[in-house]
Amino acid sequence: MNETINQLADLMVNGSIPLSVNINTATNWTQFAITIGITLIGSFGLFILLYLPTLLGGMGSGSLSRISRLTKRNVVLIKHTQGGLFSQSMIDQETLRDLAMVMNKMEGKPFDLILHTPGGDVFSSLAVSRFIKQYPGTIRAIVPLYSMSGGSLLALSCKELIMTPNACLGPIDPQLGSLFKFGSAKAWEEIVKFKGKKAEDQSISFAMMGKQYTKSIAAHLNNIIDFDLNNRQKSKLIQFLTDGSIEHAYPLTPSDLSNFGIKVNTLSDKKILKALSKIISSKGKEGVHYYKMPKWRQK
């Protein structure tokens, strides 16, 4: 081997480097075996890290599985808490896509839908609401803390509504505008009335869009809300939710909803409350997650 290295040195000094050089050394099979073993262990570890949550059912173990064991139902979570300067985690087309896939996995079985979201865009919220309403199995909405705007639309699309004592829903009047001009449909309508002929084209456009969105949302609510409300109760509730007479962040408590005739089941089980608290306070679990019971646990 020393002779080969000396030959290489001479060639480099003389300005000529061979295309290939064969260095004969004895193969160390022990080192080779160790290398292969480390590679296999690393690959298996990476597989577990990437795919085990999926194999166990979305989030797999953890708070969702604990809730499932307590309620004896499958569980789906929609959670949006992260926000930045120019973006906000919310109900959007990604939510629509992920929930559609999860609902297919549920195969028509009943499940609980945990909602912790500020809302989202009108199209996606309406589409998700239709998915929920058309699902063949019973979906119970569980609201640990808040499910506002489009999130309220999803909660009211379910067969049953379960809330903690301090939880709330919110108005569903459309919010629209641009980066520097944003407000409710009602606000844009008032701006155009106030400015009259001096109103900018953009303000007039937002006011018109707001009316259209409000009409569509009200019609959709009329189709999806059940809860054994009569026509008068339903009409009063829809007007309250969509006409923009109150601020968009107004909290509708279980007591407020009961005054409109909606039966709200109050959640008081301490074990479930503790698990829900962990879910909504944990980081890194944004978007749609689920836990599906093993077949031997399903009825």
Side-chain angles (χ1 to χ4, degrees):
M1 180 174 175
N2 290 333
E3 293 179 0
T4 305
I5 294 174
N6 291 332
Q7 290 174 2
L8 276 173
D10 292 338
L11 289 169
M12 292 176 67
V13 170
N14 295 327
S16 176
I17 300 177
L19 293 177
S20 63
V21 177
N22 293 323
I23 301 176
N24 295 321
T25 58
T27 303
N28 190 331
W29 290 105
T30 302
Q31 185 178 2
F32 176 76
I34 292 172
T35 302
I36 292 297
I38 292 173
T39 302
L40 290 174
I41 292 171
S43 300
F44 180 73
L46 182 61
F47 172 82
I48 292 295
L49 182 64
L50 292 177
Y51 294 105
L52 185 59
T54 301
L55 294 176
L56 292 176
M59 287 178 67
S61 60
S63 297
L64 288 186
S65 63
R66 284 196 289 274
I67 290 174
S68 177
R69 287 196 295 270
L70 292 168
T71 61
K72 297 179 174 59
R73 291 168 65 95
N74 297 320
V75 184
V76 177
L77 167 69
I78 297 180
K79 176 186 172 184
H80 300 122
T81 59
Q82 293 180 352
L85 182 60
F86 299 107
S87 64
Q88 171 71 48
S89 177
M90 64 178 185
I91 301 169
D92 54 16
Q93 292 189 40
E94 184 176 351
T95 308
L96 176 60
R97 179 201 66 201
D98 292 346
L99 186 63
M101 290 191 294
V102 168
M103 291 176 80
N104 285 334
K105 292 178 183 292
M106 292 298 161
E107 301 175 320
K109 301 290 185 181
F111 67 85
D112 289 336
L113 177 62
I114 301 172
L115 294 167
H116 186 62
T117 175
D121 70 68
V122 175
F123 169 79
S124 298
S125 298
L126 290 173
V128 171
S129 171
R130 282 191 287 270
F131 280 179
I132 292 172
K133 197 64 182 178
Q134 294 168 2
Y135 186 74
T138 301
I139 302 177
R140 303 189 307 188
I142 299 179
V143 183
L145 189 57
Y146 63 81
S147 186
M148 306 296 282
S149 191
S152 300
L153 183 62
L154 305 193
L156 295 173
S157 304
C158 297
K159 300 282 179 65
E160 299 179 42
L161 179 57
I162 303 171
M163 301 174 69
T164 64
N166 296 317
C168 66
L169 303 185
I172 315 176
D173 56 314
Q175 310 292 299
L176 62 162
S178 61
L179 180 62
F180 301 105
K181 295 180 179 181
F182 195 85
S184 67
K186 181 75 171 179
W188 287 113
E189 182 181 353
E190 292 298 321
I191 288 171
V192 171
K193 285 182 180 179
F194 179 77
K195 289 192 172 183
K197 293 181 179 180
K198 294 182 179 180
E200 298 174 351
D201 292 347
Q202 192 176 51
S203 298
I204 296 171
S205 176
F206 288 150
M208 292 181 65
M209 289 171 60
K211 285 183 179 180
Q212 293 170 335
Y213 281 140
T214 301
K215 184 178 179 180
S216 297
I217 293 171
H220 179 76
L221 284 169
N222 189 60
N223 290 330
I224 61 101
I225 291 180
D226 190 1
F227 299 102
D228 296 323
L229 300 182
N230 59 44
N231 290 335
R232 181 177 173 276
Q233 289 174 317
K234 186 184 291 189
S235 178
K236 185 178 179 181
L237 173 61
I238 292 172
Q239 183 178 359
F240 182 84
L241 291 173
T242 62
D243 70 1
S245 297
I246 56 172
E247 67 272 22
H248 194 61
Y250 185 88
L252 283 165
T253 64
S255 177
D256 293 328
L257 293 167
S258 295
N259 290 335
F260 281 105
I262 295 178
K263 181 181 178 181
V264 179
N265 297 313
T266 304
L267 185 60
S268 57
D269 187 296
K270 292 183 178 180
K271 291 182 180 180
I272 297 179
L273 289 172
K274 184 177 180 180
L276 288 172
S277 177
K278 287 184 178 181
I279 288 171
I280 65 176
S281 62
S282 62
K283 296 181 179 179
K285 293 180 179 177
E286 295 287 304
V288 179
H289 298 273
Y290 72 99
Y291 178 83
K292 185 177 180 182
M293 295 186 296
K295 289 186 178 180
W296 59 268
R297 282 185 55 204
Q298 298 180 28
K299 295 181 181 180

